[in-house]
Amino acid sequence: MKACIFFICCTIIFPFKIVSSSASSSGRTKLNGKKKNVRRSRKTQSCFTDWEYLSRAVMTSHALKRTQEKVFNICPNTIMNIDKPIQIQSDNYEFVCGEDDFSIGENCVIRGGWAHFKISGSGSNISFTAITFSQSSIVSIIAAGEKNAKVVFNDCIWSSNNGDSTILVYNEAEGNLVTKNNLKISELTQSKEPSMSVECNDCIFAKNQQLEYGTVVSLGGTMSFTRSLFVGNLVNIGLISSRHSGIIAMSDSCFIINQSILSGIIRVDEGGLLIANKDTFGKDNISRGGTCEQVFLEVGESCVENPGLKCVGICADFTTQTCKLDLGDPMIKGIIDSAALHDFYTTTDDDNYDDITDDGGSLYIAFKEERLIVIIGASLFGAVLASALFGFLLIRRQKKAEAKYKALLSAENNKDEDEDNNKKESDCAENKEKKKSKEKKKSKEKKKPKENDDEDNEVKVESKEKEDNKVKEKSKVKKKSKEKKKSNENDDEDN
Protein backbone atom coordinates (compact mmCIF):
# COMPACT_ATOMS: atom_id res chain seq x y z
CA MET A 1 0.00 0.00 0.00
CA LYS A 2 2.83 2.40 0.92
CA ALA A 3 4.60 1.56 -2.33
CA CYS A 4 1.41 2.29 -4.26
CA ILE A 5 0.99 5.70 -2.52
CA PHE A 6 4.67 6.52 -3.22
CA PHE A 7 4.23 5.65 -6.91
CA ILE A 8 1.12 7.84 -7.20
CA CYS A 9 2.86 10.78 -5.53
CA CYS A 10 5.86 10.43 -7.85
CA THR A 11 3.59 10.24 -10.89
CA ILE A 12 1.76 13.44 -9.97
CA ILE A 13 4.54 15.60 -8.46
CA PHE A 14 7.77 14.97 -10.39
CA PRO A 15 6.51 15.72 -13.91
CA PHE A 16 5.58 19.27 -12.87
CA LYS A 17 7.64 22.32 -13.70
CA ILE A 18 8.06 24.60 -10.67
CA VAL A 19 7.39 28.24 -11.47
CA SER A 20 7.52 31.45 -9.50
CA SER A 21 4.45 32.35 -7.42
CA SER A 22 4.71 35.94 -8.58
CA ALA A 23 2.76 35.30 -11.79
CA SER A 24 1.21 38.13 -13.71
CA SER A 25 -1.60 39.77 -11.74
CA SER A 26 -2.85 42.05 -14.49
CA GLY A 27 -5.96 39.96 -15.11
CA ARG A 28 -7.28 39.23 -18.60
CA THR A 29 -9.29 41.13 -21.17
CA LYS A 30 -12.53 39.92 -22.71
CA LEU A 31 -13.27 40.20 -26.42
CA ASN A 32 -15.56 43.14 -25.65
CA GLY A 33 -12.62 45.13 -24.26
CA LYS A 34 -13.76 45.21 -20.62
CA LYS A 35 -11.93 43.80 -17.64
CA LYS A 36 -13.31 40.64 -16.13
CA ASN A 37 -13.06 39.52 -12.54
CA VAL A 38 -11.04 36.35 -12.76
CA ARG A 39 -11.78 33.46 -10.48
CA ARG A 40 -8.33 32.48 -9.26
CA SER A 41 -7.28 28.93 -9.89
CA ARG A 42 -6.07 26.75 -7.08
CA LYS A 43 -2.56 27.96 -6.28
CA THR A 44 -0.37 24.94 -6.94
CA GLN A 45 2.84 26.83 -7.81
CA SER A 46 3.52 24.16 -10.43
CA CYS A 47 2.43 23.49 -14.01
CA PHE A 48 2.69 20.99 -16.86
CA THR A 49 4.85 21.22 -19.95
CA ASP A 50 4.54 17.63 -21.19
CA TRP A 51 1.38 15.99 -22.60
CA GLU A 52 2.31 12.50 -21.41
CA TYR A 53 2.70 13.66 -17.80
CA LEU A 54 -0.57 15.59 -17.98
CA SER A 55 -2.33 12.46 -19.30
CA ARG A 56 -0.91 10.35 -16.46
CA ALA A 57 -1.98 12.92 -13.85
CA VAL A 58 -5.57 12.91 -15.20
CA MET A 59 -5.64 9.09 -15.30
CA THR A 60 -4.31 8.88 -11.74
CA SER A 61 -6.87 11.37 -10.50
CA HIS A 62 -9.64 9.39 -12.15
CA ALA A 63 -8.33 6.10 -10.72
CA LEU A 64 -8.31 7.57 -7.19
CA LYS A 65 -11.91 8.78 -7.69
CA ARG A 66 -11.23 12.17 -6.17
CA THR A 67 -14.39 14.21 -5.74
CA GLN A 68 -12.83 17.63 -5.04
CA GLU A 69 -12.00 20.07 -7.82
CA LYS A 70 -8.92 19.03 -9.79
CA VAL A 71 -6.97 21.89 -11.38
CA PHE A 72 -4.33 21.18 -14.01
CA ASN A 73 -2.22 24.22 -14.90
CA ILE A 74 -0.33 24.36 -18.18
CA CYS A 75 2.84 26.46 -18.12
CA PRO A 76 2.76 29.70 -20.13
CA ASN A 77 4.39 29.59 -23.59
CA THR A 78 4.06 25.81 -23.75
CA ILE A 79 3.35 23.88 -26.95
CA MET A 80 2.27 20.31 -26.34
CA ASN A 81 2.54 18.03 -29.38
CA ILE A 82 0.23 15.09 -28.83
CA ASP A 83 -0.57 11.71 -30.38
CA LYS A 84 -3.72 10.60 -28.56
CA PRO A 85 -6.45 12.43 -26.59
CA ILE A 86 -6.94 12.69 -22.83
CA GLN A 87 -10.19 11.10 -21.62
CA ILE A 88 -12.23 12.76 -18.88
CA GLN A 89 -14.82 10.47 -17.28
CA SER A 90 -15.77 12.17 -14.01
CA ASP A 91 -16.64 15.55 -12.42
CA ASN A 92 -14.63 18.61 -11.37
CA TYR A 93 -11.79 18.96 -13.85
CA GLU A 94 -10.28 22.36 -14.65
CA PHE A 95 -7.54 22.94 -17.23
CA VAL A 96 -5.97 26.40 -17.09
CA CYS A 97 -3.23 28.15 -19.07
CA GLY A 98 -0.97 29.90 -16.56
CA GLU A 99 -0.16 29.54 -12.91
CA ASP A 100 -2.45 31.99 -11.10
CA ASP A 101 -3.94 35.03 -12.85
CA PHE A 102 -4.21 33.85 -16.39
CA SER A 103 -4.64 35.47 -19.78
CA ILE A 104 -5.59 34.33 -23.26
CA GLY A 105 -2.25 35.67 -24.43
CA GLU A 106 -0.13 33.25 -22.36
CA ASN A 107 0.22 30.93 -25.33
CA CYS A 108 -0.68 27.44 -24.10
CA VAL A 109 -1.03 25.38 -27.27
CA ILE A 110 -2.23 21.79 -27.62
CA ARG A 111 -1.31 20.67 -31.12
CA GLY A 112 -1.68 17.65 -33.41
CA GLY A 113 -3.24 14.22 -32.92
CA TRP A 114 -6.58 12.97 -34.21
CA ALA A 115 -8.34 14.47 -31.14
CA HIS A 116 -7.31 16.55 -28.09
CA PHE A 117 -9.85 15.69 -25.37
CA LYS A 118 -12.73 13.25 -25.04
CA ILE A 119 -15.40 13.77 -22.37
CA SER A 120 -17.64 10.80 -21.62
CA GLY A 121 -19.98 9.60 -18.91
CA SER A 122 -21.90 12.01 -16.70
CA GLY A 123 -19.01 14.36 -15.91
CA SER A 124 -19.96 17.94 -15.00
CA ASN A 125 -18.13 21.03 -13.72
CA ILE A 126 -15.47 20.54 -16.41
CA SER A 127 -13.80 23.65 -17.81
CA PHE A 128 -10.95 24.83 -20.05
CA THR A 129 -9.53 28.34 -19.83
CA ALA A 130 -7.24 30.27 -22.20
CA ILE A 131 -6.04 27.21 -24.14
CA THR A 132 -5.39 27.06 -27.90
CA PHE A 133 -6.37 23.85 -29.71
CA SER A 134 -4.66 23.39 -33.06
CA GLN A 135 -4.10 20.95 -35.95
CA SER A 136 -6.35 18.08 -34.92
CA SER A 137 -6.94 15.74 -37.87
CA ILE A 138 -10.50 14.52 -37.07
CA VAL A 139 -12.14 16.28 -34.06
CA SER A 140 -10.52 18.51 -31.46
CA ILE A 141 -13.06 18.08 -28.61
CA ILE A 142 -15.31 15.00 -28.44
CA ALA A 143 -18.09 15.91 -26.03
CA ALA A 144 -19.59 12.40 -25.87
CA GLY A 145 -21.12 12.58 -22.39
CA GLU A 146 -24.65 11.88 -21.19
CA LYS A 147 -27.46 14.45 -21.00
CA ASN A 148 -26.46 15.76 -17.53
CA ALA A 149 -22.79 16.25 -18.46
CA LYS A 150 -21.46 19.74 -19.19
CA VAL A 151 -18.20 21.39 -20.29
CA VAL A 152 -17.36 25.12 -20.40
CA PHE A 153 -14.68 26.78 -22.53
CA ASN A 154 -13.52 30.27 -21.54
CA ASP A 155 -11.15 32.36 -23.68
CA CYS A 156 -10.17 29.35 -25.79
CA ILE A 157 -9.01 29.36 -29.41
CA TRP A 158 -9.45 26.75 -32.12
CA SER A 159 -7.15 27.38 -35.07
CA SER A 160 -6.06 25.41 -38.14
CA ASN A 161 -7.95 22.23 -37.27
CA ASN A 162 -9.03 19.82 -40.01
CA GLY A 163 -11.21 16.74 -40.38
CA ASP A 164 -14.89 16.50 -39.44
CA SER A 165 -15.25 19.16 -36.73
CA THR A 166 -13.56 21.11 -33.93
CA ILE A 167 -16.26 20.24 -31.35
CA LEU A 168 -18.63 17.28 -31.62
CA VAL A 169 -21.53 16.91 -29.15
CA TYR A 170 -23.00 13.39 -29.08
CA ASN A 171 -24.29 10.90 -26.49
CA GLU A 172 -22.23 7.79 -27.23
CA ALA A 173 -23.72 5.84 -24.30
CA GLU A 174 -27.12 5.95 -26.02
CA GLY A 175 -25.80 5.77 -29.57
CA ASN A 176 -22.55 4.68 -31.24
CA LEU A 177 -19.23 4.38 -29.47
CA VAL A 178 -17.01 7.22 -30.70
CA THR A 179 -13.47 6.02 -31.50
CA LYS A 180 -10.81 7.01 -33.99
CA ASN A 181 -11.80 4.25 -36.41
CA ASN A 182 -15.54 4.94 -36.52
CA LEU A 183 -15.57 8.71 -36.07
CA LYS A 184 -17.50 9.83 -39.14
CA ILE A 185 -20.20 12.30 -38.09
CA SER A 186 -22.51 11.67 -41.03
CA GLU A 187 -22.72 7.97 -40.06
CA LEU A 188 -23.52 8.44 -36.32
CA THR A 189 -27.07 7.31 -35.58
CA GLN A 190 -29.41 9.37 -33.45
CA SER A 191 -28.92 8.62 -29.74
CA LYS A 192 -31.91 7.49 -27.66
CA GLU A 193 -31.32 10.23 -25.06
CA PRO A 194 -30.23 13.89 -25.42
CA SER A 195 -26.52 14.65 -25.51
CA MET A 196 -24.48 16.81 -23.12
CA SER A 197 -24.13 20.61 -23.00
CA VAL A 198 -21.23 22.69 -24.31
CA GLU A 199 -20.73 26.37 -23.46
CA CYS A 200 -18.22 28.68 -25.22
CA ASN A 201 -17.54 32.13 -23.73
CA ASP A 202 -15.13 34.65 -25.34
CA CYS A 203 -13.83 31.96 -27.70
CA ILE A 204 -12.34 32.23 -31.18
CA PHE A 205 -12.67 29.80 -34.09
CA ALA A 206 -10.21 30.83 -36.82
CA LYS A 207 -8.96 29.26 -40.08
CA ASN A 208 -10.39 25.80 -39.45
CA GLN A 209 -11.21 23.60 -42.44
CA GLN A 210 -13.93 21.04 -41.73
CA LEU A 211 -14.75 19.86 -45.24
CA GLU A 212 -16.41 16.70 -43.91
CA TYR A 213 -18.92 18.51 -41.70
CA GLY A 214 -18.84 21.78 -39.68
CA THR A 215 -16.87 23.75 -37.10
CA VAL A 216 -19.15 22.88 -34.17
CA VAL A 217 -21.68 20.03 -34.53
CA SER A 218 -24.41 19.13 -32.07
CA LEU A 219 -26.17 15.79 -32.48
CA GLY A 220 -28.93 16.10 -29.91
CA GLY A 221 -26.94 18.29 -27.51
CA THR A 222 -27.14 21.89 -26.29
CA MET A 223 -24.58 24.48 -27.43
CA SER A 224 -24.29 28.11 -26.37
CA PHE A 225 -21.92 30.79 -27.68
CA THR A 226 -21.39 34.12 -25.92
CA ARG A 227 -19.03 36.85 -27.16
CA SER A 228 -17.40 34.42 -29.57
CA LEU A 229 -15.77 35.07 -32.94
CA PHE A 230 -15.79 32.86 -36.05
CA VAL A 231 -13.36 34.12 -38.71
CA GLY A 232 -11.87 32.63 -41.89
CA ASN A 233 -13.35 29.12 -41.51
CA LEU A 234 -14.16 26.82 -44.45
CA VAL A 235 -16.79 24.14 -43.79
CA ASN A 236 -19.14 21.77 -45.55
CA ILE A 237 -22.28 22.03 -43.40
CA GLY A 238 -22.42 25.25 -41.35
CA LEU A 239 -20.08 26.78 -38.77
CA ILE A 240 -22.57 25.77 -36.08
CA SER A 241 -24.72 22.82 -37.10
CA SER A 242 -27.56 21.19 -35.16
CA ARG A 243 -29.11 17.79 -35.92
CA HIS A 244 -31.14 15.18 -34.04
CA SER A 245 -33.12 17.83 -32.09
CA GLY A 246 -30.02 19.73 -31.03
CA ILE A 247 -30.33 23.16 -29.38
CA ILE A 248 -28.34 26.31 -30.27
CA ALA A 249 -28.10 29.61 -28.36
CA MET A 250 -26.00 32.57 -29.61
CA SER A 251 -25.44 36.05 -28.20
CA ASP A 252 -22.98 38.91 -28.86
CA SER A 253 -21.07 36.78 -31.39
CA CYS A 254 -19.62 37.66 -34.81
CA PHE A 255 -19.19 35.65 -38.00
CA ILE A 256 -16.79 37.21 -40.51
CA ILE A 257 -15.62 35.94 -43.92
CA ASN A 258 -16.50 32.29 -43.47
CA GLN A 259 -17.50 29.85 -46.20
CA SER A 260 -20.00 27.00 -46.14
CA ILE A 261 -20.72 24.64 -49.01
CA LEU A 262 -24.36 23.97 -48.05
CA SER A 263 -26.89 26.72 -47.37
CA GLY A 264 -26.52 28.56 -44.06
CA ILE A 265 -23.52 29.76 -42.07
CA ILE A 266 -25.52 28.66 -39.00
CA ARG A 267 -27.62 25.59 -39.71
CA VAL A 268 -30.53 24.13 -37.71
CA ASP A 269 -32.01 20.95 -39.19
CA GLU A 270 -35.66 19.92 -38.91
CA GLY A 271 -36.48 19.20 -35.25
CA GLY A 272 -33.64 21.36 -33.91
CA LEU A 273 -34.14 24.56 -31.93
CA LEU A 274 -32.56 28.02 -32.10
CA ILE A 275 -33.49 29.33 -28.67
CA ALA A 276 -31.39 32.51 -28.79
CA ASN A 277 -30.06 34.69 -31.62
CA LYS A 278 -29.24 37.91 -29.78
CA ASP A 279 -26.88 40.60 -31.12
CA THR A 280 -25.25 38.32 -33.69
CA PHE A 281 -23.34 39.92 -36.55
CA GLY A 282 -22.29 38.53 -39.92
CA LYS A 283 -20.22 40.04 -42.71
CA ASP A 284 -18.88 38.71 -46.02
CA ASN A 285 -19.84 35.11 -45.38
CA ILE A 286 -20.34 32.88 -48.42
CA SER A 287 -22.70 29.96 -48.96
CA ARG A 288 -21.47 28.19 -52.09
CA GLY A 289 -24.34 25.76 -52.51
CA GLY A 290 -27.25 28.02 -51.58
CA THR A 291 -28.53 31.55 -51.19
CA CYS A 292 -28.66 31.73 -47.37
CA GLU A 293 -25.54 33.26 -45.85
CA GLN A 294 -26.99 33.78 -42.37
CA VAL A 295 -29.03 31.33 -40.24
CA PHE A 296 -30.72 28.50 -42.14
CA LEU A 297 -33.71 26.85 -40.44
CA GLU A 298 -34.49 23.69 -42.41
CA VAL A 299 -38.08 22.64 -43.07
CA GLY A 300 -38.99 19.07 -44.00
CA GLU A 301 -36.63 16.17 -44.57
CA SER A 302 -32.94 16.72 -43.97
CA CYS A 303 -30.94 17.28 -47.14
CA VAL A 304 -27.82 16.34 -45.12
CA GLU A 305 -29.12 12.84 -44.38
CA ASN A 306 -30.66 12.61 -47.88
CA PRO A 307 -28.10 14.12 -50.28
CA GLY A 308 -30.47 13.79 -53.25
CA LEU A 309 -32.99 16.21 -51.72
CA LYS A 310 -32.98 19.96 -52.21
CA CYS A 311 -32.39 21.96 -49.03
CA VAL A 312 -35.67 23.71 -48.15
CA GLY A 313 -36.01 26.11 -45.24
CA ILE A 314 -36.15 29.65 -43.86
CA CYS A 315 -33.19 32.02 -43.94
CA ALA A 316 -33.08 34.10 -40.75
CA ASP A 317 -30.90 37.21 -40.52
CA PHE A 318 -28.23 37.97 -37.99
CA THR A 319 -29.73 40.38 -35.48
CA THR A 320 -27.36 43.37 -35.37
CA GLN A 321 -25.56 45.61 -37.85
CA THR A 322 -22.57 46.05 -35.53
CA CYS A 323 -19.99 43.67 -34.14
CA LYS A 324 -19.73 44.30 -30.41
CA LEU A 325 -16.45 42.44 -29.90
CA ASP A 326 -13.15 44.18 -29.30
CA LEU A 327 -11.53 43.30 -32.61
CA GLY A 328 -8.94 45.99 -32.01
CA ASP A 329 -7.26 43.94 -29.30
CA PRO A 330 -3.69 43.30 -30.61
CA MET A 331 -3.93 39.55 -30.20
CA ILE A 332 -7.38 39.36 -31.85
CA LYS A 333 -6.30 41.72 -34.61
CA GLY A 334 -3.27 39.49 -35.21
CA ILE A 335 -5.58 36.51 -35.69
CA ILE A 336 -7.69 38.47 -38.15
CA ASP A 337 -4.57 39.65 -39.97
CA SER A 338 -3.24 36.09 -40.17
CA ALA A 339 -6.55 35.08 -41.74
CA ALA A 340 -5.81 37.65 -44.47
CA LEU A 341 -8.82 39.79 -43.56
CA HIS A 342 -7.10 43.05 -42.76
CA ASP A 343 -7.43 44.33 -46.34
CA PHE A 344 -11.21 44.48 -45.93
CA TYR A 345 -11.38 46.26 -42.58
CA THR A 346 -10.25 49.57 -41.16
CA THR A 347 -10.11 51.32 -37.80
CA THR A 348 -10.96 54.75 -39.20
CA ASP A 349 -14.29 56.54 -38.68
CA ASP A 350 -14.14 58.39 -42.01
CA ASP A 351 -17.55 59.55 -43.26
CA ASN A 352 -17.05 57.68 -46.54
CA TYR A 353 -17.28 54.41 -44.64
CA ASP A 354 -20.43 52.69 -43.47
CA ASP A 355 -20.08 52.43 -39.72
CA ILE A 356 -21.21 48.99 -38.59
CA THR A 357 -20.31 49.16 -34.94
CA ASP A 358 -21.87 50.86 -31.95
CA ASP A 359 -20.73 54.26 -30.69
CA GLY A 360 -19.08 52.77 -27.62
CA GLY A 361 -17.00 50.23 -29.49
CA SER A 362 -13.23 50.60 -29.63
CA LEU A 363 -13.00 49.49 -33.26
CA TYR A 364 -14.99 50.53 -36.28
CA ILE A 365 -15.33 47.54 -38.58
CA ALA A 366 -16.17 49.29 -41.82
CA PHE A 367 -16.38 48.33 -45.40
CA LYS A 368 -15.83 50.94 -48.09
CA GLU A 369 -17.89 50.32 -51.23
CA GLU A 370 -15.50 52.20 -53.50
CA ARG A 371 -12.57 50.29 -52.10
CA LEU A 372 -14.44 47.03 -52.59
CA ILE A 373 -14.98 47.87 -56.28
CA VAL A 374 -11.31 48.78 -56.67
CA ILE A 375 -10.25 45.59 -54.89
CA ILE A 376 -12.59 43.42 -56.99
CA GLY A 377 -11.46 45.17 -60.18
CA ALA A 378 -7.81 44.81 -59.25
CA SER A 379 -8.38 41.18 -58.31
CA LEU A 380 -10.12 40.47 -61.63
CA PHE A 381 -7.41 42.30 -63.57
CA GLY A 382 -4.73 40.42 -61.64
CA ALA A 383 -6.53 37.14 -62.27
CA VAL A 384 -6.84 37.88 -66.02
CA LEU A 385 -3.20 38.98 -66.18
CA ALA A 386 -2.06 35.92 -64.27
CA SER A 387 -4.20 33.70 -66.51
CA ALA A 388 -2.76 35.34 -69.65
CA LEU A 389 0.79 35.00 -68.33
CA PHE A 390 0.14 31.42 -67.34
CA GLY A 391 -1.40 30.72 -70.76
CA PHE A 392 1.57 32.36 -72.52
CA LEU A 393 4.05 30.36 -70.47
CA LEU A 394 2.01 27.21 -71.03
CA ILE A 395 1.90 27.79 -74.82
CA ARG A 396 5.62 28.61 -74.87
CA ARG A 397 6.38 25.52 -72.88
CA GLN A 398 4.14 23.47 -75.13
CA LYS A 399 5.88 24.84 -78.24
CA LYS A 400 9.28 24.05 -76.76
CA ALA A 401 8.08 20.56 -75.97
CA GLU A 402 6.70 20.18 -79.50
CA ALA A 403 9.96 21.44 -81.03
CA LYS A 404 11.94 19.08 -78.85
CA TYR A 405 9.62 16.25 -79.78
CA LYS A 406 9.92 17.11 -83.49
CA ALA A 407 13.72 17.25 -83.21
CA LEU A 408 13.76 13.87 -81.51
CA LEU A 409 11.32 12.52 -84.08
CA SER A 410 13.42 13.94 -86.94
CA ALA A 411 16.58 12.44 -85.44
CA GLU A 412 14.82 9.10 -85.15
CA ASN A 413 13.56 9.36 -88.74
CA ASN A 414 17.06 10.31 -90.00
CA LYS A 415 18.49 7.42 -88.09
CA ASP A 416 15.90 5.11 -89.62
CA GLU A 417 16.58 6.54 -93.08
CA ASP A 418 20.34 6.06 -92.64
CA GLU A 419 19.76 2.53 -91.54
CA ASP A 420 17.46 1.95 -94.52
CA ASN A 421 19.99 3.48 -96.91
CA ASN A 422 22.79 1.40 -95.47
CA LYS A 423 20.66 -1.65 -95.75
CA LYS A 424 19.72 -0.79 -99.33
CA GLU A 425 23.37 -0.21 -100.22
CA SER A 426 24.38 -3.50 -98.68
CA ASP A 427 21.48 -5.22 -100.42
CA CYS A 428 22.43 -3.54 -103.67
CA ALA A 429 26.08 -4.59 -103.35
CA GLU A 430 24.98 -8.09 -102.50
CA ASN A 431 22.63 -8.15 -105.47
CA LYS A 432 25.43 -6.90 -107.72
CA GLU A 433 27.71 -9.64 -106.48
CA LYS A 434 25.00 -12.19 -107.05
CA LYS A 435 24.32 -10.79 -110.50
CA LYS A 436 28.03 -10.88 -111.38
CA SER A 437 28.32 -14.46 -110.19
CA LYS A 438 25.24 -15.37 -112.21
CA GLU A 439 26.60 -13.66 -115.32
CA LYS A 440 29.95 -15.43 -114.87
CA LYS A 441 28.16 -18.68 -114.51
CA LYS A 442 26.07 -18.00 -117.59
CA SER A 443 29.09 -16.92 -119.62
CA LYS A 444 30.88 -20.07 -118.56
CA GLU A 445 27.87 -22.12 -119.49
CA LYS A 446 27.68 -20.34 -122.87
CA LYS A 447 31.40 -20.74 -123.50
CA LYS A 448 31.36 -24.45 -122.75
CA PRO A 449 28.80 -25.41 -125.43
CA LYS A 450 30.71 -23.30 -127.96
CA GLU A 451 33.89 -25.19 -127.23
CA ASN A 452 31.97 -28.41 -127.55
CA ASP A 453 30.62 -27.24 -130.92
CA ASP A 454 34.11 -26.35 -132.11
CA GLU A 455 35.34 -29.75 -131.08
CA ASP A 456 32.41 -31.34 -132.88
CA ASN A 457 33.13 -29.23 -135.94
CA GLU A 458 36.76 -30.21 -135.86
CA VAL A 459 35.76 -33.87 -135.59
CA LYS A 460 33.34 -33.37 -138.41
CA VAL A 461 35.98 -31.64 -140.55
CA GLU A 462 38.46 -34.36 -139.81
CA SER A 463 35.92 -37.06 -140.66
CA LYS A 464 35.03 -35.22 -143.83
CA GLU A 465 38.66 -34.88 -144.79
CA LYS A 466 39.08 -38.56 -144.13
CA GLU A 467 36.09 -39.34 -146.29
CA ASP A 468 37.36 -37.00 -149.00
CA ASN A 469 40.74 -38.68 -148.84
CA LYS A 470 39.08 -42.04 -149.09
CA VAL A 471 37.07 -40.88 -152.08
CA LYS A 472 40.20 -39.48 -153.65
CA GLU A 473 42.07 -42.67 -153.03
CA LYS A 474 39.19 -44.63 -154.47
CA SER A 475 39.09 -42.40 -157.51
CA LYS A 476 42.84 -42.76 -157.85
CA VAL A 477 42.51 -46.51 -157.54
CA LYS A 478 39.73 -46.49 -160.08
CA LYS A 479 41.71 -44.25 -162.34
CA LYS A 480 44.73 -46.44 -161.94
CA SER A 481 42.66 -49.51 -162.61
CA LYS A 482 41.13 -47.88 -165.63
CA GLU A 483 44.52 -46.83 -166.88
CA LYS A 484 45.83 -50.31 -166.21
CA LYS A 485 42.87 -51.81 -167.94
CA LYS A 486 43.28 -49.46 -170.80
CA SER A 487 46.97 -50.22 -171.00
CA ASN A 488 46.13 -53.90 -170.95
CA GLU A 489 43.61 -53.42 -173.70
CA ASN A 490 46.18 -51.45 -175.62
CA ASP A 491 48.62 -54.21 -175.02
CA ASP A 492 46.05 -56.69 -176.23
CA GLU A 493 45.43 -54.69 -179.26
CA ASP A 494 49.11 -54.47 -179.86
CA ASN A 495 49.32 -58.09 -179.35
Side-chain angles (χ1 to χ4, degrees):
M1 185 68 183
K2 289 180 180 180
C4 184
I5 293 170
F6 176 74
F7 172 75
I8 291 169
C9 291
C10 290
T11 305
I12 296 174
I13 294 170
F14 283 104
F16 285 49
K17 176 183 175 182
I18 307 301
V19 297
S20 172
S21 61
S22 59
S24 171
S25 59
S26 60
R28 63 189 174 95
T29 304
K30 287 169 54 180
L31 279 171
N32 62 5
K34 299 176 183 178
K35 290 283 184 180
K36 180 179 178 181
N37 293 325
V38 178
R39 178 174 65 82
R40 292 176 178 271
S41 63
R42 181 166 58 93
K43 206 162 178 124
T44 59
Q45 293 190 346
S46 55
C47 56
F48 289 92
T49 59
D50 185 84
W51 182 256
E52 186 64 30
Y53 291 147
L54 178 61
S55 301
R56 288 181 192 174
V58 173
M59 288 173 62
T60 303
S61 179
H62 178 70
L64 293 175
K65 297 182 180 179
R66 293 174 177 167
T67 57
Q68 72 271 26
E69 185 180 28
K70 298 168 280 292
V71 180
F72 299 91
N73 294 84
I74 298 174
C75 298
N77 299 314
T78 294
I79 298 177
M80 292 185 174
N81 294 303
I82 75 168
D83 56 353
K84 58 183 178 180
I86 289 176
Q87 295 202 32
I88 302 171
Q89 300 173 310
S90 56
D91 302 337
N92 304 321
Y93 281 87
E94 183 179 357
F95 297 86
V96 182
C97 176
E99 175 58 21
D100 192 352
D101 293 337
F102 40 84
S103 166
I104 196 172
E106 290 196 34
N107 196 28
C108 296
V109 180
I110 297 172
R111 183 172 66 186
W114 66 273
H116 298 140
F117 284 90
K118 180 181 178 181
I119 301 160
S120 57
S122 58
S124 60
N125 194 25
I126 300 168
S127 67
F128 295 82
T129 303
I131 297 173
T132 297
F133 302 94
S134 178
Q135 298 180 20
S136 62
S137 62
I138 302 180
V139 176
S140 171
I141 305 296
I142 304 170
E146 299 169 6
K147 63 180 179 180
N148 295 324
K150 183 178 180 180
V151 61
V152 178
F153 296 93
N154 299 308
D155 287 325
C156 289
I157 299 173
W158 283 267
S159 175
S160 302
N161 294 282
N162 300 302
D164 280 36
S165 178
T166 55
I167 302 176
L168 168 64
V169 186
Y170 179 69
N171 188 345
E172 71 173 359
E174 299 295 334
N176 305 115
L177 183 66
V178 179
T179 63
K180 180 182 178 180
N181 296 326
N182 72 343
L183 186 46
K184 192 168 180 64
I185 294 176
S186 58
E187 296 177 0
L188 295 176
T189 59
Q190 184 169 356
S191 57
K192 298 175 184 176
E193 293 287 333
S195 304
M196 66 181 290
S197 299
V198 175
E199 183 180 317
C200 294
N201 303 312
D202 303 291
C203 290
I204 298 172
F205 298 82
K207 297 191 297 181
N208 301 289
Q209 292 191 19
Q210 275 79 39
L211 296 179
E212 293 296 327
Y213 218 91
T215 307
V216 183
V217 181
S218 173
L219 303 181
T222 300
M223 299 184 299
S224 66
F225 301 88
T226 305
R227 299 178 304 279
S228 293
L229 172 66
F230 290 76
V231 57
N233 299 287
L234 175 61
V235 298
N236 186 19
I237 307 171
L239 299 175
I240 303 173
S241 178
S242 169
R243 283 177 57 202
H244 303 167
S245 303
I247 299 171
I248 298 174
M250 304 181 297
S251 62
D252 301 316
S253 296
C254 299
F255 305 85
I256 302 171
I257 309 186
N258 301 284
Q259 294 187 41
S260 175
I261 293 175
L262 284 186
S263 230
I265 295 300
I266 312 300
R267 188 178 180 87
V268 183
D269 283 10
E270 175 70 17
L273 290 174
L274 179 64
I275 60 174
N277 184 17
K278 180 185 175 184
D279 292 333
T280 55
F281 168 80
K283 187 68 176 178
D284 300 309
N285 298 297
I286 297 173
S287 177
R288 293 183 180 179
T291 56
C292 183
E293 296 173 348
Q294 294 87 25
V295 182
F296 185 77
L297 306 173
E298 190 171 43
V299 177
E301 284 190 73
S302 171
C303 62
V304 175
E305 295 180 354
N306 303 281
L309 293 177
K310 184 180 178 181
C311 297
V312 179
I314 301 167
C315 188
D317 293 333
F318 292 114
T319 55
T320 182
Q321 298 299 312
T322 60
C323 181
K324 298 183 181 297
L325 304 179
D326 180 19
L327 302 183
D329 178 88
M331 196 273 300
I332 305 304
K333 191 171 183 300
I335 291 175
I336 293 176
D337 289 345
S338 69
L341 304 179
H342 57 284
D343 285 341
F344 295 91
Y345 295 95
T346 180
T347 55
T348 182
D349 56 355
D350 192 303
D351 292 335
N352 292 328
Y353 285 75
D354 295 326
D355 184 9
I356 54 173
T357 188
D358 56 344
D359 295 335
S362 62
L363 175 71
Y364 289 98
I365 306 175
F367 199 92
K368 191 176 181 180
E369 298 298 333
E370 294 86 350
R371 190 180 179 191
L372 176 61
I373 293 168
V374 171
I375 290 169
I376 291 172
S379 300
L380 289 172
F381 177 74
V384 171
L385 189 64
S387 299
L389 181 62
F390 178 74
F392 172 73
L393 292 173
L394 191 64
I395 290 168
R396 190 176 174 185
R397 188 175 178 182
Q398 191 173 0
K399 283 184 177 178
K400 281 186 178 180
E402 286 177 357
K404 192 174 180 181
Y405 175 72
K406 283 180 180 177
L408 288 171
L409 193 63
S410 176
E412 287 291 328
N413 289 335
N414 291 335
K415 190 176 178 182
D416 292 340
E417 285 178 4
D418 291 340
E419 287 179 357
D420 291 340
N421 290 332
N422 292 332
K423 192 173 180 182
K424 282 180 181 178
E425 287 177 0
S426 64
D427 290 343
C428 187
E430 193 176 343
N431 289 332
K432 280 182 179 179
E433 289 292 329
K434 284 183 179 178
K435 196 172 181 183
K436 277 183 180 180
S437 63
K438 280 184 180 179
E439 285 177 354
K440 275 185 179 181
K441 195 173 181 181
K442 280 183 180 179
S443 65
K444 280 181 180 179
E445 286 175 353
K446 281 182 180 179
K447 199 171 181 181
K448 196 171 183 180
K450 194 172 181 183
E451 287 175 356
N452 293 334
D453 290 341
D454 291 339
E455 287 177 359
D456 292 338
N457 290 333
E458 285 178 3
V459 170
K460 283 180 182 179
V461 169
E462 285 178 2
S463 63
K464 194 173 181 183
E465 285 179 353
K466 283 181 180 180
E467 284 178 0
D468 289 341
N469 290 329
K470 281 181 181 181
V471 170
K472 281 180 180 180
E473 284 179 359
K474 277 182 181 182
S475 64
K476 279 181 180 181
V477 169
K478 277 183 181 181
K479 193 174 179 182
K480 278 181 180 182
S481 66
K482 277 183 181 182
E483 286 178 355
K484 191 175 182 181
K485 191 175 180 183
K486 194 173 179 182
S487 70
N488 289 331
E489 282 178 1
N490 290 332
D491 286 336
D492 287 339
E493 282 178 6
D494 289 336
N495 290 326

